[in-house]
Amino acid sequence: MADLRLGLLLNAVSPAVGGVLVRGEKGTAKSTMVRALAGLLPSITVVEGCRFACDPGAPDPQCPDGPHTAGSHTAGSQAAGPQAGVPSVDRAARLVELPVGVTEDRIVGSLDLERALAEGVKAYEPGLLAQAHRGVLYIDEVNLLQDHVVDLLLDAAAMGRSYVEREGVSVRHAARFLLVGTMNPEEGELRPQLLDRFGLTVEIAATRDPAERAEVVRRRLAYDADPAGFATAYQADERALAERITTARALLPSVLLGDAALRQITAVCAAFEVDGLRADIVMARTAVALAAWDGRTAVGEEDVRQAARLALPHRRRRNPFDAPGLDEEQLERTLSEHAEQPEDEGPDGGGDGGPQDDPDGDGGGGGGGGGAPEPSDPAEPAGSGAGQDAPAGDAPAEASPADSAPPQLPRPGGAPARESAPVAAGEPYRTRLFKVPGTGQGTQGRRSPAETDGGHTIRSRRPQGRLSRLHLSATLQAAAPHQLARGRSGRALQLRTDDFREQVRRGRESNLVLFVVDASGSMAARQRMTAVKGAVLSLLMDAYQRRDKIGMITFRGAGAELALPPTSSVEVGAARLEQLPTGGRTPLAAGLLRAHEVLRLERLRDPLRRPLLVLVTDGRATGGRGALAEAGQAAALLAAQGTAAVVLDCESGPVRLGLARTLAAQLRATTVTLDELRAEGVAALVHAHRSTATRKAA
């Protein structure tokens, strides 16, 4: 919590740091900490009446409420210097919350196309980006945002402006904000592009100290009993903290980032092989903010060390299954190798450049606090627990797969099933693309064809709700036959509400990919299970790249288990797969029936998300003379439900029974072998097929 507190305060001192991403388990007061920041931010001066928070000293020349001139209440001058006579007011900086299910119009603002075309009026209603300008944009559960929303945020964060383009009608305005997001990694990771836009990242977890947990509960209960009195008790401390932020902001331009500190920053970024140069810039800004927060005018080595711990962990991921983190030994080694040497000593001279050589003697901005008050300081937002969504003591809903081994499944007669130790997965690879047949209407993604907000226009229709994607030619065609009857005169077009048409676009949707994995004894050969796990891991990575939800059912021994309920977190799926034990009988029918039940429930929760079943099996079924027949009946039940399916045939050896292909026919599914799963293997098969066809034709 000290790291989170420090990260938020550094952004308050220097918004150029670029925001904070807060990763952690549920019930740890992430949202409470972020919302507490709003009360500490210095007030801002804005042009009176401007809906876009223009600075009267440097108003936005493109402000939709402009131009701002002396004596106007909704306008912005083109000049760069302070504008004498421009009406202005002071107000608190805003913390604007962006909901997970937010629409595009709510983010960038809505433009009334009907009035724009029929009346020639730019009727623009500002969105959340305009409200967040010069303030904080807070996104709870940022990892659950839809792709098109992420694209809008990326554009605004990169350009510092928001654009609204609708059929030739354009509005743009400044949108510079401090981006703060919170997320639970169990529910899925962020797209790399958005992840890199966060300047700092912090990993938090609930304390395991009973005394600290008791204090959190004690303060929460005190807040519930008397919210006003509780806030008053900490008012002086919060005021002191706000004044310290203001003082640090004033000191910030005077802080010197020397060549030695800059060399350490770039050396650390190079040593950790981070992509691009954004990490170097963020680290430099963070180190300067740390020095200002501590009241110093020069950046020291401890500032660089603390900046690296905050700015680099989320930039080191190389694939979706890598956990953010930083090698402390490598960090210390790099800092030591590039520490500033005394002028009278060569590179082999004394001084190891370690923390004990800090010229300030006070540890710089590090030590888990950067000069922040001790944890017992009542001004600490984390300690108050005021208004948090759940007590900090709440435990995660699920234990980590590494912490809890799956239970032994009973065998007939009471003997435990023979179980093999988990086998490591093979290296993942690019797989062929599997789609759900037909055209869906689900969440925009990258797998199956669907009518979505993105993609290319295929037709027009009457608006369903508020008009947002005008089909101009279809609108004109609908209005043209009625112009004489409406008394048209001159060049102006006479339009009515029922003339308007909107675009219907075809793109791709994300799906629910449900893996049903045979973990029985017939799959337990080490080399075989390594290949199977590698194949499933490759399909998991494919699901991550295509923005799918995933789930996993395993069957072995006496029945089937939902190892991973449907989620957006492929990391959790990979962890479950890595720890998957094998052994025992093959209750194939139980696995298919469990899949049928899971899909039935998911259709009720999210009826527009179409499922894709991936059955990983060799087709064998044990547990009685009718085991294969029962499996066939379960497969027919899924087929009757219209479930799109793929059977990954894992049968190997010189003698093959073809049971998986028989099962696939009952499922009405596509069958692929492990060798055919690779994308390059598919290309080779197609090439060979075409070559054979060409020879036959000749």
Side-chain angles (χ1 to χ4, degrees):
M1 300 303 287
D3 286 343
L4 172 55
R5 182 175 186 269
L6 178 62
L8 292 171
L9 290 172
L10 291 178
N11 274 274
V13 171
S14 175
V17 167
V20 188
L21 175 64
V22 188
R23 298 165 48 93
E25 61 195 33
K26 51 189 172 291
T28 48
K30 299 186 295 293
S31 300
T32 301
M33 288 279 282
V34 174
R35 294 185 180 111
L37 177 66
L40 302 175
L41 295 176
S43 61
I44 61 174
T45 303
V46 300
V47 173
E48 186 178 359
C50 178
R51 297 174 296 168
F52 301 87
C54 277
D55 183 350
D60 179 13
Q62 296 179 315
C63 176
D65 283 352
H68 296 300
T69 56
S72 92
H73 288 256
T74 57
S77 170
Q78 311 291 328
Q83 302 298 305
V86 175
S88 62
V89 294
D90 289 341
R91 66 164 174 80
R94 289 173 179 158
L95 185 142
V96 177
E97 297 195 32
L98 190 147
V100 171
V102 68
T103 62
E104 179 178 340
D105 283 351
R106 186 72 186 94
I107 296 173
V108 299
S110 58
L111 193 61
D112 193 332
L113 289 174
E114 298 179 27
R115 291 189 63 193
L117 291 176
E119 303 174 27
V121 176
K122 276 190 180 181
Y124 177 67
E125 185 66 30
L128 294 175
L129 294 182
Q131 295 178 28
H133 179 48
R134 303 176 65 196
V136 180
L137 183 65
Y138 170 48
I139 313 169
D140 194 13
E141 306 294 352
V142 61
N143 50 323
L144 302 183
L145 286 180
Q146 297 184 13
D147 273 8
H148 71 282
V149 173
V150 171
D151 292 336
L152 293 173
L153 292 176
L154 288 175
D155 289 343
M159 305 300 295
R161 304 194 71 80
S162 176
Y163 298 85
V164 183
E165 304 281 349
R166 295 286 189 275
E167 298 294 337
V169 181
S170 175
V171 175
R172 59 191 64 194
H173 62 82
R176 292 182 295 276
F177 45 81
L178 173 63
L179 186 62
V180 180
T182 56
M183 60 174 283
N184 183 346
E186 291 181 356
E187 297 170 342
E189 280 293 347
L190 276 177
R191 281 174 57 181
Q193 296 95 325
L194 184 57
L195 188 64
D196 192 48
R197 290 293 175 187
F198 286 97
L200 311 180
T201 187
V202 177
E203 295 270 350
I204 66 171
T207 177
R208 301 299 184 237
D209 182 350
E212 289 186 358
R213 296 172 76 99
E215 181 62 19
V216 171
V217 175
R218 193 176 294 116
R219 295 192 188 188
R220 175 58 197 250
L221 294 177
Y223 171 82
D224 291 341
D226 183 9
F230 186 91
T232 301
Y234 293 97
Q235 195 169 30
D237 297 299
E238 295 249 327
R239 188 183 303 114
L241 198 58
E243 290 173 355
R244 186 176 176 185
I245 291 173
T246 302
T247 302
R249 276 194 176 187
L251 181 63
L252 193 68
S254 304
V255 176
L256 173 65
L257 176 64
D259 288 342
L262 181 57
R263 185 170 60 250
Q264 284 187 314
I265 288 171
T266 55
V268 167
C269 292
F272 282 102
E273 299 181 345
V274 296
D275 294 334
L277 293 171
R278 183 175 283 117
D280 306 62
I281 297 170
V282 170
M283 268 193 67
R285 290 170 173 168
T286 305
V288 170
L290 278 162
W293 177 248
D294 278 348
R296 292 180 281 106
T297 56
V299 173
E301 181 176 303
E302 189 61 29
D303 299 325
V304 176
R305 178 180 288 105
Q306 186 72 355
R309 290 169 177 159
L310 293 171
L312 295 188
H314 61 300
R315 293 185 164 92
R316 298 207 61 248
R317 299 181 69 204
R318 285 294 177 266
N319 68 63
F321 308 125
D322 289 342
L326 208 62
D327 187 331
E328 288 285 342
E329 291 184 3
Q330 184 180 1
L331 174 61
E332 294 301 326
R333 186 168 57 252
T334 304
L335 289 173
S336 178
E337 290 173 355
H338 294 84
E340 183 177 15
Q341 301 289 343
E343 292 184 1
D344 58 341
E345 296 180 2
D348 297 324
D352 60 5
Q356 61 269 33
D357 294 327
D358 181 5
D360 296 309
D362 61 358
E374 295 296 322
S376 59
D377 189 333
E380 180 173 346
S384 71
Q388 66 192 41
D389 297 328
D394 285 357
E398 296 179 355
S400 166
D403 297 334
S404 57
Q408 289 277 344
L409 296 175
R411 291 172 62 87
R418 294 184 59 188
E419 182 178 295
S420 301
V423 177
E427 285 296 317
Y429 47 82
R430 190 165 64 91
T431 67
R432 60 184 288 188
L433 171 61
F434 300 103
K435 305 177 186 177
V436 177
T439 302
Q441 295 180 319
T443 302
Q444 189 171 343
R446 301 178 184 175
R447 183 174 295 278
S448 304
E451 293 181 359
T452 64
D453 291 332
H456 60 280
T457 302
I458 57 173
R459 59 186 175 87
S460 66
R461 68 184 177 198
R462 293 183 183 275
Q464 297 180 349
R466 187 183 183 92
L467 177 64
S468 59
R469 301 186 305 272
L470 178 73
H471 197 300
L472 183 58
S473 60
T475 299
L476 296 178
Q477 289 173 5
H482 308 292
Q483 294 306 296
L484 289 177
R486 293 173 183 173
R488 176 185 175 185
S489 61
R491 302 176 63 182
L493 192 66
Q494 299 296 315
L495 293 174
R496 300 289 185 269
T497 301
D498 57 357
D499 293 332
F500 289 97
R501 300 292 184 270
E502 68 179 3
Q503 301 173 18
V504 177
R505 298 178 180 175
R506 173 164 292 180
R508 294 185 181 277
E509 67 178 359
S510 63
N511 300 108
L512 167 61
V513 182
L514 181 62
F515 294 91
V516 182
V517 182
D518 183 352
S520 66
S522 65
M523 302 281 286
R526 179 167 295 273
Q527 185 174 1
R528 185 178 185 185
M529 183 50 75
T530 297
V532 169
K533 284 190 174 183
V536 177
L537 192 64
S538 302
L539 290 168
L540 282 172
M541 182 173 291
D542 181 68
Y544 167 81
Q545 293 169 344
R546 301 188 188 282
R547 324 311 299 168
D548 295 319
K549 290 182 68 174
I550 62 164
M552 186 181 299
I553 293 171
T554 62
F555 57 94
R556 57 186 285 272
E561 174 191 6
L562 181 59
L564 179 66
T567 176
S568 297
S569 177
V570 294
E571 295 82 358
V572 178
R576 297 285 196 275
L577 181 69
E578 192 68 28
Q579 297 298 320
L580 179 66
T582 57
R585 296 185 301 168
T586 312
L588 178 56
L592 294 174
L593 290 174
R594 188 64 185 273
H596 178 271
E597 179 62 15
V598 169
L599 294 180
R600 184 186 69 81
L601 294 176
E602 285 303 308
R603 283 191 179 95
L604 295 176
R605 294 191 184 102
D606 191 353
L608 294 181
R609 189 181 293 272
R610 298 187 295 163
L612 175 65
L613 178 71
V614 178
L615 176 61
V616 183
T617 181
D618 57 8
R620 290 179 171 85
T622 58
R625 203 174 275 182
L628 277 176
E630 291 174 359
Q633 292 171 0
L637 183 63
L638 284 163
Q641 200 177 45
T643 304
V646 175
V647 175
L648 184 57
D649 185 357
C650 303
E651 192 173 25
S652 60
V655 179
R656 304 192 182 191
L657 304 178
L659 296 175
R661 292 191 177 275
T662 301
L663 184 64
Q666 295 167 319
L667 266 173
R668 301 175 196 163
T670 303
T671 309
V672 292
T673 65
L674 292 174
D675 293 335
E676 294 170 346
L677 183 63
R678 295 177 181 267
E680 54 268 28
V682 174
L685 288 172
V686 172
H687 178 73
H689 176 75
R690 288 177 176 171
S691 299
T692 302
T694 302
R695 285 196 302 271
K696 288 182 178 179

